[in-house]
Amino acid sequence: MVSLGQGQLVGRWKADKGRWEIVFEPDGTISSAVVSLGRTKMRPGEVTATQMKMGGKGLFEPGQWTVQYSQEKRELIVEIAIEHFRVKLGDSAVQGRTRDFFVGLVSSDGQLWWTDRFSFPEYIVDTKKYPNYKLPFNPDDNPWESLIFQKVTKSK
């Protein structure tokens, strides 16, 4: 468990890109997150099934989600892991796992969180042309992206 700055970080945070949302609880845990992969709302320990916009179905199983916060430095680090997912679109499918890290500073008023997102995907596509093809991933050539999260509600 981690203290989230006397509760100032508790609540729902939305990113300016990727439709990410994270809800922080008073005990320092994450109670739900909307992940950019499938734009799916997930809860820790619960498998989520969803209809995809272009047809097909998605199944998402979360892994471990962690929160680290240094109140002195106002630095917040979050890991969102998806242990396994499978998305079916027509005759094709994508499956795998991914880990996303968000690292950044929280504003002094506790309303903004400037982050760098680092993603570590392991994806396997299954198409007629490429059955069970593991997409290449080079961690040395892994681009990161900057996101700004804004606190939009307090936790209930």
Side-chain angles (χ1 to χ4, degrees):
M1 305 290 175
V2 67
S3 170
L4 292 180
Q6 291 130 10
Q8 74 176 8
L9 301 182
V10 174
R12 185 166 57 107
W13 293 72
K14 290 179 81 169
D16 63 337
K17 297 183 271 195
R19 297 194 183 166
W20 283 94
E21 288 185 28
I22 300 173
V23 178
F24 296 106
E25 295 299 324
D27 66 359
T29 62
I30 297 170
S31 59
S32 70
V34 175
V35 298
S36 64
L37 181 65
R39 292 171 174 74
T40 304
K41 183 174 184 175
M42 300 177 65
R43 297 186 192 293
E46 294 180 15
V47 174
T48 301
T50 185
Q51 283 292 125
M52 304 307 291
K53 284 188 177 186
M54 296 171 36
K57 294 186 179 187
L59 191 65
F60 301 86
E61 178 185 346
Q64 185 171 355
W65 296 357
T66 60
V67 177
Q68 298 176 43
Y69 181 62
S70 167
Q71 190 169 350
E72 180 181 293
K73 296 178 183 177
R74 294 191 335 263
E75 182 179 54
L76 179 59
I77 302 170
V78 170
E79 176 186 6
I80 302 282
I82 299 174
E83 189 62 35
H84 180 76
F85 75 92
R86 180 173 174 80
V87 176
K88 182 102 169 113
L89 300 167
D91 293 336
S92 301
V94 179
Q95 66 178 341
R97 58 190 288 170
T98 186
R99 291 172 54 204
D100 290 280
F101 292 89
F102 302 86
V103 179
L105 298 178
V106 175
S107 63
S108 58
D109 67 358
Q111 299 301 303
L112 295 174
W113 174 32
W114 299 279
T115 68
D116 290 329
R117 174 183 166 235
F118 302 90
S119 186
F120 298 90
E122 296 177 31
Y123 296 161
I124 299 170
V125 295
D126 191 4
T127 65
K128 287 179 183 177
K129 187 173 181 179
Y130 298 102
N132 288 325
Y133 176 72
K134 184 174 182 177
L135 295 176
F137 174 74
N138 180 349
D140 295 328
D141 196 24
N142 186 17
W144 53 270
E145 72 173 327
S146 292
L147 299 171
I148 301 171
F149 281 82
Q150 183 171 9
K151 187 174 183 180
V152 292
T153 61
K154 292 185 178 183
S155 184
K156 295 177 181 168

